Amino acid sequence: MSKLPQDLIVEIFSRLPVKPLIRFKCLSKTWRSMISDPEFAKLQLNRAKENHNNFSCQKLLLSTWPPQSVDYEAFCDGNVRILSYPAIVKGPLDNFYVGILGSCNGLVYLLDDYGSMFLWNPTTGDYRELPNPNGAIYRMFRYGLGYNFSTDDYGVLFASQFTANDSKETIVELYTLKTGAWRRIKEIDAVSQSYGGYGIFWNGALYWLETKRSDLHQVYVIVAFDMVEEKFQEVLPLPDHFNSNCIVSLGASGNRLCIFCECRGTSFEALVLNVNGIEASLTRLFSFPHHKFPGYGNNALCLTENGEVLMDCDGWEIYLYNPKQGTMQRLQVMNYRDSESELYIESLVSPNN
């Protein structure tokens, strides 16, 4: 291997999964320098996405204590890996909250019980503590982590209904890794006060679901924050039957953004968002009778490569549903009750580069 040209070694290594690359860093100073290069991390990430359409490099992170990483594409014994939070997260073993506020390209946005925010790569263990925003964390209503391809920089979005000194004011801020500081986003006309939760990064923007009043009922609307233009926009409303009697959420299927809906007592369905320039549309992916699922409060997280649905059952357990066979398999994870989950990609991207 040492006699091969350096560019050929880079080409070979960039097509390997992250875990062996981390081990290879211990074998040679040259390899360590190459694998630690941010440009190599970007190359390896792009190759992984292209070769596997995002499926095989995606894992499910559970905010249990300790955290767990689930390889849901390989449903078998040993598909759950025990991780460790960054050393700076020091909490008691019981009843300590670590919230997941988003993920992008292998980085995960965390909030702990003390109100501290972090960016963390669960695969490499690298992390960065963020300074406190000017908005009040206890009144945050929209947040997420995305990537600006024009500046090659990651940004953390944070929106709160109060400032840190308890003044009632809608404040939207963006933290970027290269500047290491928060700054306010001024154009927030399209930001409603409805709770949007964490955004999903897709196709250059962060996406949320929010509710709006229409005539005498509420409707769900997809909204987005463009990471390059730094502007909010309303993308399109969901069909009328996605109403307040439904549990609606955003999820993923490979490189597609999906809208999942549990219509109580009737059906469970999924739509795919299609965006072409300024035009947006929805395509139905599937629809199943509700009686195939246990109870209520089923929240779909994503679709697997073979078409199974990864489900969160009311914050109590996680299982895979096979729509073709009508069967379910429960994932064997520890202490999942009242924890949070988030999809992330295994990558070498560091929050410190």
Side-chain angles (χ1 to χ4, degrees), residues 26-316:
C26 302
L27 301 180
S28 161
K29 290 183 178 180
T30 301
W31 288 4
R32 182 179 185 85
S33 176
M34 178 189 69
I35 296 170
S36 301
D37 188 335
E39 292 301 316
F40 178 82
K42 286 192 291 184
L43 177 62
Q44 192 279 335
L45 175 66
N46 291 333
R47 289 270 165 80
K49 289 181 177 181
E50 292 169 359
N51 294 341
H52 303 287
N53 196 29
N54 252 15
F55 281 108
S56 64
C57 53
Q58 277 192 333
K59 301 294 183 285
L60 181 69
L61 178 67
L62 308 181
S63 67
T64 51
W65 193 281
Q68 300 170 82
S69 175
V70 181
D71 184 359
Y72 56 86
E73 291 285 355
F75 192 91
C76 59
D77 292 338
N79 69 326
V80 178
R81 188 162 61 99
I82 306 300
L83 305 177
S84 297
Y85 286 119
I88 199 169
V89 180
K90 300 181 183 298
L93 294 180
D94 297 319
N95 299 320
F96 186 76
Y97 171 80
V98 178
I100 304 175
L101 306 187
S103 71
C104 178
N105 290 348
L107 299 180
V108 180
Y109 178 21
L110 299 178
L111 170 69
D112 72 10
D113 240 352
Y114 298 118
S116 299
M117 293 180 174
F118 309 87
L119 290 184
W120 174 47
N121 185 322
T123 308
T124 65
D126 292 346
Y127 70 92
R128 175 192 286 202
E129 184 175 8
L130 307 184
N132 291 331
N134 294 310
I137 292 176
Y138 72 95
R139 292 304 296 269
M140 63 184 183
F141 65 93
R142 194 166 299 166
Y143 35 86
L145 171 63
Y147 175 72
N148 184 334
F149 68 86
S150 69
T151 59
D152 186 26
D153 198 6
Y154 289 86
V156 176
L157 189 85
F158 176 86
S160 178
Q161 296 173 335
F162 280 75
T163 64
N165 60 6
D166 291 333
S167 174
K168 184 171 176 54
E169 177 187 0
T170 298
I171 179 171
V172 181
E173 300 170 88
L174 186 69
Y175 174 93
T176 56
L177 289 187
K178 289 186 176 180
T179 63
W182 294 95
R183 57 183 172 81
R184 294 189 67 163
I185 300 297
K186 297 180 180 180
E187 296 189 30
I188 60 173
D189 293 342
V191 180
S192 76
Q193 293 294 313
S194 66
Y195 180 78
Y198 73 85
I200 292 183
F201 180 73
W202 175 76
N203 201 26
L206 283 165
Y207 287 82
W208 296 267
L209 286 174
E210 67 176 36
T211 56
K212 299 183 78 172
R213 297 295 302 180
S214 176
D215 296 329
L216 299 178
H217 62 282
Q218 284 188 332
V219 296
Y220 281 95
V221 177
I222 301 174
V223 296
F225 177 78
D226 189 293
M227 293 297 297
V228 174
E229 296 184 0
E230 297 186 357
K231 293 181 180 179
F232 288 92
Q233 62 177 334
E234 186 175 302
V235 181
L236 83 169
L238 297 186
D240 289 342
H241 68 280
F242 283 41
N243 53 44
S244 58
N245 293 321
C246 302
I247 298 176
V248 187
S249 61
L250 292 179
S253 174
N255 288 322
R256 297 179 295 180
L257 184 68
C258 299
I259 300 94
F260 298 107
C261 176
E262 181 188 37
C263 301
R264 294 179 182 269
T266 57
S267 65
F268 192 96
E269 61 183 286
L271 306 175
V272 174
L273 177 64
N274 310 296
V275 177
N276 183 13
I278 61 174
E279 297 183 356
S281 63
L282 297 169
T283 302
R284 174 169 285 152
L285 194 60
F286 63 72
S287 180
F288 307 135
H290 183 273
H291 66 79
K292 292 182 177 291
F293 298 90
Y296 295 107
N298 296 287
N299 180 32
L301 302 172
C302 70
L303 297 183
T304 67
E305 191 168 13
N306 64 1
E308 292 180 303
V309 187
L310 186 67
M311 306 285 294
D312 177 313
C313 184
D314 199 24
W316 284 80

